[in-house]
Coordinates of all heavy atoms in Angstrom, one line a residue:
D347 N -6.6 24.9 32.1 CA -7.3 24.0 33.2 C -6.7 22.6 33.2 O -6.5 22.0 34.2 CB -8.8 24.0 33.0 CG -9.5 25.3 33.2 OD1 -8.8 26.2 33.7 OD2 -10.6 25.4 32.7
G348 N -6.4 22.1 32.0 CA -5.8 20.7 31.9 C -4.4 20.7 32.6 O -4.2 19.8 33.4
W349 N -3.6 21.6 32.3 CA -2.2 21.6 32.9 C -2.3 22.0 34.4 O -1.5 21.4 35.1 CB -1.3 22.6 32.1 CG -0.9 22.1 30.8 CD1 -1.4 22.3 29.6 CD2 0.2 21.2 30.6 NE1 -0.8 21.6 28.6 CE2 0.2 20.9 29.2 CE3 1.2 20.6 31.4 CZ2 1.2 20.1 28.6 CZ3 2.1 19.7 30.8 CH2 2.1 19.5 29.4
A350 N -3.3 22.7 34.8 CA -3.4 23.0 36.2 C -3.9 21.8 36.9 O -3.4 21.5 38.1 CB -4.5 24.1 36.4
L351 N -4.7 21.0 36.3 CA -5.1 19.7 37.0 C -4.0 18.7 37.0 O -3.8 18.0 38.0 CB -6.3 19.1 36.2 CG -7.7 19.6 36.5 CD1 -8.7 18.9 35.6 CD2 -8.0 19.3 38.0
A352 N -3.2 18.7 35.9 CA -2.0 17.8 35.9 C -1.0 18.1 37.0 O -0.4 17.2 37.6 CB -1.4 17.9 34.5
A353 N -0.9 19.4 37.3 CA 0.0 19.8 38.4 C -0.5 19.3 39.8 O 0.3 19.2 40.7 CB 0.2 21.3 38.4
Q354 N -1.8 19.0 39.9 CA -2.3 18.6 41.2 C -2.2 17.0 41.3 O -2.5 16.5 42.4 CB -3.8 19.0 41.3 CG -4.0 20.5 41.2 CD -5.5 20.8 41.1 OE1 -6.4 20.0 41.4 NE2 -5.8 22.1 40.8
G355 N -1.9 16.3 40.3 CA -1.9 14.9 40.3 C -0.6 14.3 40.7 O 0.4 14.9 41.0
R356 N -0.6 13.0 40.6 CA 0.6 12.2 40.8 C 0.6 10.9 40.0 O -0.4 10.7 39.2 CB 0.8 11.8 42.3 CG -0.5 11.1 42.8 CD -0.4 10.8 44.3 NE -1.6 10.2 44.8 CZ -1.8 9.7 46.1 NH1 -0.7 9.7 46.9 NH2 -2.9 9.2 46.5
H357 N 1.6 10.1 40.1 CA 1.6 8.9 39.2 C 0.4 8.0 39.5 O 0.0 7.8 40.7 CB 2.9 8.1 39.5 CG 3.2 7.1 38.3 ND1 2.4 6.0 38.1 CD2 4.1 7.1 37.4 CE1 2.8 5.3 37.1 NE2 3.9 6.0 36.6
P358 N -0.4 7.5 38.5 CA -1.6 6.7 38.8 C -1.3 5.5 39.7 O -2.2 5.1 40.4 CB -2.0 6.3 37.4 CG -1.5 7.4 36.5 CD -0.2 7.8 37.1
E359 N -0.1 5.0 39.6 CA 0.2 3.8 40.4 C 0.2 4.2 41.9 O -0.1 3.4 42.8 CB 1.5 3.2 40.1 CG 1.5 2.5 38.7 CD 2.8 1.9 38.4 OE1 3.8 2.0 39.2 OE2 2.9 1.2 37.3
Q360 N 0.5 5.4 42.2 CA 0.5 5.9 43.6 C -0.9 6.5 43.9 O -1.2 6.5 45.1 CB 1.6 7.0 43.8 CG 3.0 6.4 43.5 CD 4.0 7.5 43.6 OE1 3.7 8.7 43.8 NE2 5.3 7.2 43.4
G361 N -1.5 7.0 42.9 CA -2.9 7.5 43.1 C -3.9 6.6 42.7 O -4.2 5.5 43.3
S362 N -4.6 6.9 41.5 CA -5.6 6.1 41.0 C -5.7 6.2 39.5 O -5.4 7.2 38.9 CB -7.0 6.5 41.6 OG -8.1 5.8 40.9
W363 N -6.0 5.0 38.8 CA -6.1 5.0 37.4 C -7.5 5.5 36.9 O -7.8 5.5 35.7 CB -5.9 3.6 36.9 CG -4.5 3.2 36.9 CD1 -3.9 2.4 37.8 CD2 -3.5 3.5 35.9 NE1 -2.5 2.3 37.5 CE2 -2.3 2.9 36.3 CE3 -3.5 4.2 34.7 CZ2 -1.1 3.0 35.6 CZ3 -2.3 4.3 34.0 CH2 -1.2 3.8 34.4
T364 N -8.3 6.0 37.9 CA -9.6 6.6 37.5 C -9.6 8.0 38.0 O -10.7 8.7 37.9 CB -10.7 5.8 38.1 OG1 -10.6 5.8 39.6 CG2 -10.8 4.4 37.6
S365 N -8.5 8.6 38.4 CA -8.4 10.0 38.8 C -7.9 10.8 37.6 O -6.9 10.6 37.0 CB -7.4 10.1 40.0 OG -7.1 11.5 40.2
I366 N -8.7 11.8 37.3 CA -8.4 12.7 36.2 C -7.1 13.4 36.4 O -6.2 13.5 35.5 CB -9.5 13.7 35.9 CG1 -10.8 13.0 35.5 CG2 -9.1 14.7 34.9 CD1 -12.0 13.8 35.4
P367 N -6.8 14.1 37.6 CA -5.5 14.7 37.8 C -4.3 13.7 37.7 O -3.3 14.1 37.1 CB -5.6 15.3 39.2 CG -7.1 15.5 39.4 CD -7.7 14.3 38.7
D368 N -4.5 12.5 38.2 CA -3.4 11.6 38.1 C -3.1 11.1 36.7 O -2.0 11.0 36.3 CB -3.7 10.3 39.0 CG -3.8 10.7 40.5 OD1 -3.3 11.8 40.8 OD2 -4.3 9.9 41.3
L369 N -4.2 10.9 35.9 CA -4.0 10.5 34.5 C -3.4 11.6 33.7 O -2.5 11.4 32.9 CB -5.3 10.1 33.9 CG -6.0 8.8 34.5 CD1 -7.4 8.7 33.9 CD2 -5.1 7.6 34.2
L370 N -3.8 12.9 34.0 CA -3.2 14.0 33.3 C -1.7 14.2 33.7 O -0.9 14.5 32.9 CB -4.0 15.3 33.6 CG -5.4 15.4 32.9 CD1 -6.1 16.6 33.4 CD2 -5.2 15.5 31.4
W371 N -1.4 14.0 35.0 CA 0.0 14.1 35.4 C 0.8 13.1 34.7 O 1.9 13.4 34.2 CB 0.0 13.8 36.9 CG 1.4 14.0 37.5 CD1 1.9 15.1 38.0 CD2 2.4 13.0 37.5 NE1 3.3 14.9 38.4 CE2 3.6 13.6 38.1 CE3 2.5 11.7 37.2 CZ2 4.8 12.9 38.3 CZ3 3.7 11.0 37.3 CH2 4.8 11.6 37.9
G372 N 0.4 11.9 34.6 CA 1.1 10.8 33.9 C 1.4 11.2 32.4 O 2.5 11.0 31.9
L373 N 0.4 11.7 31.7 CA 0.6 12.1 30.3 C 1.5 13.3 30.2 O 2.3 13.4 29.3 CB -0.8 12.3 29.7 CG -1.7 11.1 29.5 CD1 -3.1 11.5 29.0 CD2 -1.1 10.1 28.6
A374 N 1.2 14.3 31.0 CA 2.0 15.5 30.9 C 3.5 15.3 31.2 O 4.3 15.9 30.6 CB 1.4 16.6 31.9
N375 N 3.8 14.4 32.1 CA 5.2 14.1 32.5 C 5.8 12.9 31.7 O 6.9 12.5 32.0 CB 5.3 13.9 34.0 CG 5.0 15.2 34.8 OD1 5.9 16.0 35.0 ND2 3.8 15.3 35.3
E376 N 5.0 12.4 30.8 CA 5.4 11.3 30.0 C 5.8 10.1 30.8 O 6.7 9.3 30.4 CB 6.5 11.7 29.0 CG 6.1 12.8 28.1 CD 7.2 13.1 27.1 OE1 8.3 12.5 27.2 OE2 7.0 14.0 26.2
E377 N 5.1 9.9 31.9 CA 5.3 8.7 32.8 C 4.3 7.6 32.5 O 4.5 6.5 32.9 CB 5.2 9.1 34.3 CG 6.2 10.1 34.8 CD 7.6 9.5 34.9 OE1 7.7 8.2 35.0 OE2 8.6 10.2 34.8
V378 N 3.4 8.0 31.7 CA 2.3 7.0 31.3 C 2.1 7.1 29.8 O 2.0 8.3 29.3 CB 1.0 7.3 32.1 CG1 -0.1 6.4 31.5 CG2 1.2 7.1 33.5
D379 N 2.0 6.0 29.1 CA 1.6 6.1 27.7 C 0.2 5.4 27.6 O -0.3 4.8 28.5 CB 2.6 5.4 26.8 CG 2.9 3.9 27.2 OD1 1.9 3.3 27.6 OD2 4.0 3.5 27.1
F380 N -0.3 5.6 26.4 CA -1.7 5.1 26.2 C -1.8 3.6 26.1 O -2.9 3.1 26.2 CB -2.3 5.8 24.9 CG -2.6 7.2 25.1 CD1 -1.8 8.2 24.6 CD2 -3.7 7.6 25.9 CE1 -2.1 9.5 24.8 CE2 -3.9 9.0 26.1 CZ -3.1 9.9 25.5
D381 N -0.7 2.9 26.0 CA -0.8 1.5 26.1 C -1.1 1.0 27.5 O -1.7 0.0 27.7 CB 0.6 0.9 25.6 CG 0.5 -0.7 25.5 OD1 -0.4 -1.2 24.8 OD2 1.3 -1.3 26.2
D382 N -0.7 1.9 28.5 CA -1.0 1.6 29.9 C -2.5 1.7 30.1 O -3.0 1.1 31.1 CB -0.3 2.6 30.8 CG 1.2 2.4 30.7 OD1 1.7 1.3 30.5 OD2 2.0 3.4 30.9
F383 N -3.2 2.5 29.3 CA -4.6 2.7 29.5 C -5.3 1.3 29.3 O -6.2 1.0 30.1 CB -5.2 3.7 28.5 CG -5.1 5.1 29.0 CD1 -3.9 5.7 29.2 CD2 -6.3 5.8 29.2 CE1 -3.8 7.0 29.7 CE2 -6.2 7.1 29.7 CZ -5.0 7.7 29.9
R384 N -4.9 0.6 28.3 CA -5.6 -0.7 28.0 C -5.3 -1.7 29.1 O -6.1 -2.6 29.3 CB -5.1 -1.2 26.6 CG -5.6 -0.3 25.4 CD -5.2 -0.9 24.1 NE -3.8 -0.7 23.8 CZ -3.3 -1.0 22.6 NH1 -4.0 -1.4 21.6 NH2 -2.0 -0.8 22.5
R385 N -4.1 -1.5 29.7 CA -3.8 -2.5 30.7 C -4.2 -2.2 32.1 O -4.6 -3.1 32.8 CB -2.2 -2.7 30.7 CG -1.7 -3.3 29.4 CD -0.2 -3.6 29.6 NE 0.6 -2.3 29.8 CZ 1.8 -2.3 30.2 NH1 2.5 -3.4 30.6 NH2 2.5 -1.1 30.3
F386 N -4.3 -0.9 32.5 CA -4.5 -0.6 33.9 C -5.8 0.1 34.1 O -6.3 0.1 35.3 CB -3.3 0.2 34.4 CG -2.0 -0.5 34.3 CD1 -1.0 0.0 33.5 CD2 -1.8 -1.6 35.0 CE1 0.2 -0.6 33.4 CE2 -0.5 -2.3 35.0 CZ 0.5 -1.8 34.2
V387 N -6.3 0.8 33.2 CA -7.6 1.6 33.4 C -8.7 0.5 33.5 O -8.9 -0.3 32.5 CB -7.9 2.6 32.3 CG1 -9.2 3.2 32.5 CG2 -6.8 3.7 32.3
P388 N -9.5 0.5 34.5 CA -10.6 -0.5 34.7 C -11.7 -0.3 33.6 O -11.7 0.7 33.0 CB -11.1 -0.3 36.1 CG -10.8 1.1 36.4 CD -9.5 1.4 35.7
P389 N -12.6 -1.3 33.5 CA -13.7 -1.1 32.5 C -14.5 0.1 32.9 O -14.6 0.5 34.1 CB -14.4 -2.4 32.7 CG -13.4 -3.4 33.2 CD -12.5 -2.6 34.1
A390 N -15.3 0.6 31.9 CA -16.0 1.8 32.1 C -17.1 1.7 33.2 O -17.5 2.6 33.9 CB -16.7 2.2 30.8
R391 N -17.6 0.4 33.4 CA -18.6 0.2 34.4 C -18.1 0.5 35.8 O -18.9 0.7 36.7 CB -19.2 -1.2 34.3 CG -18.2 -2.3 34.5 CD -18.9 -3.7 34.4 NE -17.9 -4.8 34.6 CZ -17.1 -5.3 33.6 NH1 -17.3 -4.8 32.4 NH2 -16.3 -6.2 33.8
E392 N -16.8 0.5 36.0 CA -16.2 0.7 37.3 C -15.7 2.2 37.5 O -15.2 2.5 38.5 CB -15.0 -0.2 37.5 CG -15.4 -1.7 37.4 CD -14.2 -2.6 37.6 OE1 -13.1 -2.1 38.0 OE2 -14.3 -3.8 37.3
W393 N -16.0 3.0 36.5 CA -15.5 4.4 36.6 C -16.4 5.2 37.5 O -17.7 5.0 37.5 CB -15.5 5.0 35.2 CG -14.5 4.5 34.3 CD1 -13.6 3.5 34.5 CD2 -14.2 5.0 32.9 NE1 -12.8 3.3 33.4 CE2 -13.2 4.2 32.4 CE3 -14.8 5.9 32.1 CZ2 -12.7 4.3 31.1 CZ3 -14.3 6.1 30.8 CH2 -13.3 5.3 30.4
P394 N -15.9 6.2 38.2 CA -16.7 7.1 39.0 C -17.5 8.0 38.0 O -17.1 8.2 36.9 CB -15.7 7.8 39.8 CG -14.4 7.7 39.1 CD -14.4 6.4 38.4
L395 N -18.5 8.6 38.5 CA -19.4 9.5 37.7 C -18.5 10.6 37.1 O -18.8 11.1 35.9 CB -20.5 10.0 38.5 CG -21.5 11.0 37.8 CD1 -22.1 10.3 36.6 CD2 -22.6 11.5 38.7
E396 N -17.6 11.2 37.9 CA -16.8 12.3 37.4 C -16.0 11.9 36.2 O -16.0 12.7 35.2 CB -15.8 12.7 38.5 CG -14.9 13.9 38.1 CD -13.9 14.1 39.2 OE1 -13.7 13.3 40.1 OE2 -13.2 15.2 39.1
L397 N -15.5 10.7 36.1 CA -14.7 10.3 35.0 C -15.6 10.0 33.8 O -15.2 10.3 32.6 CB -13.9 9.0 35.3 CG -12.8 8.6 34.3 CD1 -11.8 9.7 34.1 CD2 -12.2 7.3 34.7
L398 N -16.8 9.5 34.0 CA -17.7 9.2 32.9 C -18.2 10.6 32.3 O -18.2 10.7 31.0 CB -18.9 8.5 33.4 CG -18.7 7.0 33.9 CD1 -20.0 6.4 34.5 CD2 -18.3 6.2 32.6
E399 N -18.5 11.6 33.1 CA -18.9 12.9 32.6 C -17.8 13.6 31.9 O -18.0 14.3 30.9 CB -19.5 13.7 33.7 CG -20.9 13.2 34.2 CD -21.5 14.1 35.2 OE1 -20.8 15.0 35.7 OE2 -22.7 14.0 35.4
F400 N -16.6 13.4 32.4 CA -15.4 14.0 31.8 C -15.2 13.4 30.4 O -14.8 14.2 29.4 CB -14.2 13.8 32.6 CG -12.9 14.2 32.0 CD1 -12.5 15.6 32.1 CD2 -12.0 13.4 31.4 CE1 -11.3 16.0 31.6 CE2 -10.8 13.8 30.8 CZ -10.5 15.1 30.9
T401 N -15.4 12.2 30.2 CA -15.2 11.5 28.9 C -16.3 11.8 27.9 O -16.0 12.1 26.8 CB -15.1 10.0 29.1 OG1 -14.1 9.7 30.1 CG2 -14.8 9.3 27.8
A402 N -17.6 11.7 28.3 CA -18.7 11.9 27.4 C -19.4 13.2 27.5 O -20.3 13.5 26.7 CB -19.6 10.7 27.6
G403 N -19.2 14.0 28.6 CA -19.9 15.2 28.8 C -21.1 14.9 29.8 O -21.5 13.8 30.0
P404 N -21.5 16.0 30.5 CA -22.6 15.8 31.5 C -23.8 15.3 30.9 O -24.3 15.7 29.9 CB -22.8 17.3 32.0 CG -21.5 18.0 31.7 CD -21.0 17.4 30.4
G405 N -24.4 14.2 31.6 CA -25.6 13.6 31.1 C -25.5 12.6 30.0 O -26.5 12.1 29.5
N406 N -24.2 12.4 29.5 CA -24.0 11.5 28.3 C -23.2 10.3 28.8 O -22.4 10.4 29.8 CB -23.3 12.2 27.2 CG -24.1 13.4 26.7 OD1 -25.3 13.3 26.5 ND2 -23.4 14.5 26.3
L407 N -23.4 9.2 28.1 CA -22.6 8.0 28.4 C -22.0 7.5 27.1 O -22.7 7.4 26.1 CB -23.5 7.0 29.1 CG -24.0 7.3 30.5 CD1 -24.9 6.2 31.0 CD2 -22.8 7.5 31.5
R408 N -20.8 7.0 27.1 CA -20.2 6.4 26.0 C -20.4 4.9 26.1 O -20.5 4.3 27.1 CB -18.7 6.7 25.9 CG -18.3 8.1 25.4 CD -16.8 8.2 25.2 NE -16.5 9.5 24.6 CZ -16.4 9.7 23.2 NH1 -16.7 8.7 22.4 NH2 -16.1 10.9 22.8
R409 N -20.4 4.3 24.9 CA -20.4 2.8 24.9 C -19.2 2.2 25.5 O -18.1 2.8 25.3 CB -20.6 2.3 23.5 CG -21.9 2.7 22.8 CD -22.0 2.1 21.4 NE -20.9 2.7 20.6 CZ -20.6 2.1 19.4 NH1 -21.2 1.1 18.9 NH2 -19.6 2.7 18.7
P410 N -19.3 1.2 26.3 CA -18.1 0.6 27.0 C -17.0 0.3 26.0 O -15.8 0.4 26.4 CB -18.7 -0.6 27.7 CG -20.2 -0.3 27.8 CD -20.6 0.5 26.7
M411 N -17.3 -0.1 24.8 CA -16.3 -0.6 23.9 C -15.4 0.6 23.4 O -14.2 0.3 23.1 CB -16.9 -1.2 22.6 CG -17.7 -2.5 22.9 SD -16.6 -3.8 23.5 CE -15.6 -4.1 22.1
V412 N -15.9 1.8 23.4 CA -15.1 2.9 23.0 C -14.8 3.9 24.1 O -14.3 5.0 23.9 CB -15.8 3.7 21.8 CG1 -15.9 2.8 20.6 CG2 -17.2 4.2 22.2
A413 N -15.1 3.5 25.3 CA -14.9 4.4 26.5 C -13.5 4.8 26.7 O -13.1 5.9 26.9 CB -15.6 3.9 27.7
R414 N -12.6 3.7 26.6 CA -11.2 4.0 26.9 C -10.6 4.9 25.9 O -9.8 5.8 26.2 CB -10.4 2.6 26.9 CG -10.5 1.9 28.2 CD -9.5 0.8 28.3 NE -9.5 0.0 29.5 CZ -10.2 -1.1 29.6 NH1 -10.8 -1.6 28.5 NH2 -10.2 -1.8 30.7

Side-chain angles (χ1 to χ4, degrees):
D347 292 346
W349 285 93
L351 276 177
Q354 301 173 13
R356 53 182 177 172
H357 199 290
E359 291 182 354
Q360 301 173 358
S362 172
W363 285 97
T364 59
S365 168
I366 297 174
D368 293 344
L369 293 173
L370 287 173
W371 182 93
L373 293 175
N375 292 277
E376 299 183 358
E377 295 291 334
V378 172
D379 58 36
F380 287 106
D381 188 56
D382 296 330
F383 273 65
R384 291 184 289 190
R385 292 188 296 164
F386 301 115
V387 173
R391 61 179 179 273
E392 301 178 15
W393 292 1
L395 179 61
E396 178 187 15
L397 190 61
L398 291 172
E399 291 187 344
F400 175 81
T401 304
N406 298 322
L407 293 176
R408 281 189 177 271
R409 292 182 299 166
M411 295 295 295
V412 296
R414 280 197 181 93

